[in-house]
Amino acid sequence: MNSRRKALKAITAIPFLGGLIGPSVLTANVAEETLAKPLARDFFKELGLRTFINAAGTYTSMTGSLMHKEVTDAISYGATEYVNLDELHDKVGERIAQLLECEYATVSSGAFGAMTIGLAGIMCGMDEEKVAQLPDTTGLKNEVIVQKGHSIGYTHALINTGAKIVEVTTAKELEKAINKQTVMLWFLNANTEQGEVKWEEFIALGKKHNIPTFIDCAADVPPVENLFKFTKMGFDLVCFSGGKGIRGPQSAGLLLGKRKYIEAARLHTPPRGTTIARGMKVNKEEVLGMLVALELYLARDHKKEWQLWESQIKLISDSASSVKGVETEIHVPPHANHVPSLKIRWDENVVKISKDDMRKQLVNGHPSIETVGNKDEVGITTWMMEPGQERIVAQRVQEILANA
């Protein structure tokens, strides 16, 4: 009996072997004795990867956010059945549009993918020959006007269609740049303060010249109101990342706005194959996960959540500033990543450690803690932490600074 028990315990400790043997063997003679449950595989440990406490935010390099169980349950459910992909996108798009009180919506491959297919939809309309033609824009309007302060690397999502970026600074320059090749006006919400032309004037100029307007709000949830604000304001298309504040799949996003443009955008996406967005596939599991993540986000107690973040940031701020020579600043970015955040600064003549070295100590410690910042400060947010992790971060920050 003892040798049999030892053998079965050894089997359950081997994930692959336990799976191959199957339940019929492992549950034999259950009445005779209780068997240990197979151990869950620690995939990251198997691969030699360290996990970490996310005190930085929803960065793609740090795999965005963690999905709630209801979302992963929806993803698992989606893996159990076949369904027509277009019909699923249709139904989920209608449901999201209803939830967000806009004309139409679709689940995209992130905000970047939403930008590409959104512009492609405007450029080609419902003409399938033009759809197949991209990124060759011969005979098509192909100029997108962007404020210089908004022209960052993510405009590559627009260039992917074959479009050309035209940079302007003032409203007068914007109007002067409009010509027969102008296809769209694009606005980056995260850089609102870096552009002279603000939302309402930008929309008005688009309407005046009958040119669609698109606003990129990838990291602009919270606040929850932004999910409704910009379509109601008059932007023709709006996009959001799915794997940031909404806490859906990291590879998913939302494209909201005018039905005619989104239906045209869908012509560039799978299951259609001869298009520029064939590689921007959103599978059925991600579509369901994104829908459920959105439903959960809308139902959340946002005021209570904000109060939690404020208390967490204050705890870390108080711990850091308790060290002589250390100063802290709690702030909330006005647009993207609009959450309570912390900047930690100190005189390196008093606290003898550089900002980079402190971040390295946080990353290399146990548990590993990821932060942001530069040579002048260490930046911390708590909204991507699991409850209780803020206490670990507060203690580690204080220890490193005090020991320095």
Side-chain angles (χ1 to χ4, degrees), residues 66-200:
L66 297 181
M67 294 179 282
H68 293 291
K69 185 178 183 301
E70 294 90 338
V71 179
T72 57
D73 284 348
I75 291 171
S76 295
Y77 169 82
T80 65
E81 299 282 357
Y82 295 104
V83 68
N84 180 280
L85 185 60
D86 266 333
E87 290 178 1
L88 176 64
H89 272 289
D90 290 341
K91 297 294 186 182
V92 170
E94 294 287 359
R95 172 65 175 152
I96 291 173
Q98 181 183 34
L99 288 170
L100 299 184
E101 302 171 8
C102 58
E103 269 193 33
Y104 199 44
T106 194
V107 178
S108 62
S109 58
F112 195 95
M115 287 168 57
T116 297
I117 65 170
L119 173 55
I122 293 172
M123 291 173 74
C124 300
M126 301 300 289
D127 188 327
E128 294 188 10
E129 289 187 6
K130 292 178 180 178
V131 169
Q133 177 185 320
L134 293 184
D136 176 4
T137 62
T138 303
L140 303 177
K141 293 181 179 181
N142 66 349
E143 292 185 4
V144 179
I145 297 178
V146 178
Q147 295 184 75
K148 285 184 179 179
H150 294 195
S151 188
I152 63 173
Y154 292 121
T155 55
H156 211 298
L158 307 174
I159 297 171
N160 282 348
T161 66
K164 299 177 181 178
I165 303 298
V166 177
E167 296 183 356
V168 299
T169 300
T170 66
K172 186 176 180 179
E173 285 181 12
L174 192 157
E175 283 204 272
K176 187 177 180 180
I178 292 173
N179 61 69
K180 63 181 181 179
Q181 288 299 107
T182 305
V183 67
M184 191 178 79
L185 310 181
W186 184 78
F187 193 101
L188 177 61
N189 198 59
N191 285 26
T192 295
E193 305 309 319
Q194 283 73 55
E196 289 190 21
V197 187
K198 305 307 181 185
W199 301 319
E200 291 83 357

Side-chain angles (χ1 to χ4, degrees), residues 339-358:
V339 294
S341 304
L342 180 66
K343 294 179 181 179
I344 306 174
R345 306 183 184 96
W346 60 89
D347 182 347
E348 292 181 11
N349 293 317
V350 178
V351 181
K352 299 183 183 299
I353 185 173
S354 72
K355 313 308 184 293
D356 285 342
D357 284 341
M358 178 175 176

Side-chain angles (χ1 to χ4, degrees), residues 33-50:
E33 61 179 301
T34 302
L35 301 177
K37 292 183 178 179
L39 298 176
R41 288 181 66 180
D42 188 336
F43 293 101
F44 294 135
K45 188 174 182 179
E46 285 181 28
L47 295 167
L49 297 171
R50 292 194 73 192

Side-chain angles (χ1 to χ4, degrees), residues 281-312:
K281 185 183 296 181
V282 186
N283 61 35
K284 63 185 188 298
E285 294 84 3
E286 292 171 313
V287 174
L288 291 179
M290 193 65 245
L291 172 61
V292 172
L294 180 62
E295 291 173 342
L296 285 173
Y297 183 74
L298 293 173
R300 202 172 300 170
D301 187 334
H302 299 281
K303 182 178 180 181
K304 184 177 180 180
E305 189 172 51
W306 189 271
Q307 291 171 343
L308 171 64
W309 295 336
E310 285 184 323
S311 67
Q312 290 173 322

